[in-house]
Amino acid sequence: RRWGEVDWDAPQHRMPTEPSHSMRLLLRLFDRLTGDLRIDPARVYVLGLSMGGFGAWDLLCRRPQSVAAAAIICGGGDEHQAERIAHIPQWIFHGAEDRVVSVERSQNMVSALRKALGAPRYVEYPDVAHDAWVPALHEPGLLPWLWSQQRTR
């Protein structure tokens, strides 16, 4: 099962109205943890890679008021939803040689976010395939940047 039941091979997709079974469970867990534990609601972060990158954008679109920032690696999102999530700081990574998830998925999402007046950071690694998480998770500023973000809406 996937975080979002969409075709990864398609050049784009529309977010399904209903969350996938896996996403529905994650959203219930999210609600339970943020309700039961001492979690700062202004500092909830999302990080996803590959299928998790698709899931991260799906989650942002379903809970745009709940996330302070996101790091998304080699994923794909619904560009038609960009306006809903453009206010969320996002650092997006993709390998230019990715043959599993087309680099155009991230490029198109970054363009849609910028068109919606968002300011996503984007790093495209020229000689990297699908394993863009290796250099992305070694970016020296990634975790300090992520942890410095606070939700203002």
Side-chain angles (χ1 to χ4, degrees), residues 48-94:
L49 57 97
S50 191
M51 178 174 62
F54 282 83
W57 267 318
D58 191 87
L59 187 138
L60 291 182
C61 293
R62 294 184 192 284
R63 296 289 173 82
Q65 73 286 355
S66 301
V67 177
I72 300 173
I73 306 168
C74 57
D78 179 353
E79 299 147 34
H80 300 93
Q81 299 288 327
E83 193 171 306
R84 296 184 68 217
I85 61 171
H87 68 280
I88 301 168
Q90 298 171 55
W91 197 342
I92 301 156
F93 305 88
H94 216 117

Side-chain angles (χ1 to χ4, degrees), residues 30 44-48 52 55-57 59-60 67 69-72 146:
F30 182 90
V44 174
Y45 310 111
V46 173
L47 188 147
W57 267 318
L59 187 138
L60 291 182
V67 177
I72 300 173
L146 191 63

Side-chain angles (χ1 to χ4, degrees), residues 13-151:
H13 73 268
R14 291 278 189 160
M15 185 180 81
T17 305
E18 293 299 317
S20 70
H21 176 74
S22 300
M23 182 59 68
R24 193 170 24 261
L25 292 174
L26 177 63
L27 292 171
R28 285 192 357 219
L29 178 63
F30 182 90
D31 292 341
R32 180 92 184 253
L33 292 176
T34 56
D36 292 353
L37 299 178
R38 294 182 53 192
I39 294 173
D40 183 348
R43 293 181 177 271
V44 174
Y45 310 111
V46 173
L47 188 147
L49 57 97
S50 191
M51 178 174 62
F54 282 83
W57 267 318
D58 191 87
L59 187 138
L60 291 182
C61 293
R62 294 184 192 284
R63 296 289 173 82
Q65 73 286 355
S66 301
V67 177
I72 300 173
I73 306 168
C74 57
D78 179 353
E79 299 147 34
H80 300 93
Q81 299 288 327
E83 193 171 306
R84 296 184 68 217
I85 61 171
H87 68 280
I88 301 168
Q90 298 171 55
W91 197 342
I92 301 156
F93 305 88
H94 216 117
E97 301 299 321
D98 195 331
R99 300 293 176 252
V100 177
V101 177
S102 172
V103 68
E104 285 81 14
R105 296 304 309 261
S106 286
Q107 292 169 343
N108 294 343
M109 197 63 187
V110 167
S111 293
L113 290 164
R114 289 179 177 157
K115 184 177 179 183
L117 303 181
R121 292 179 173 211
Y122 180 59
V123 176
E124 187 172 304
Y125 301 108
D127 298 318
V128 174
H130 189 58
D131 60 342
W133 52 85
V134 174
L137 295 175
H138 284 94
E139 287 282 346
L142 176 59
L143 292 179
W145 171 84
L146 191 63
W147 294 329
S148 72
Q149 305 302 315
Q150 291 190 56
R151 186 168 49 82

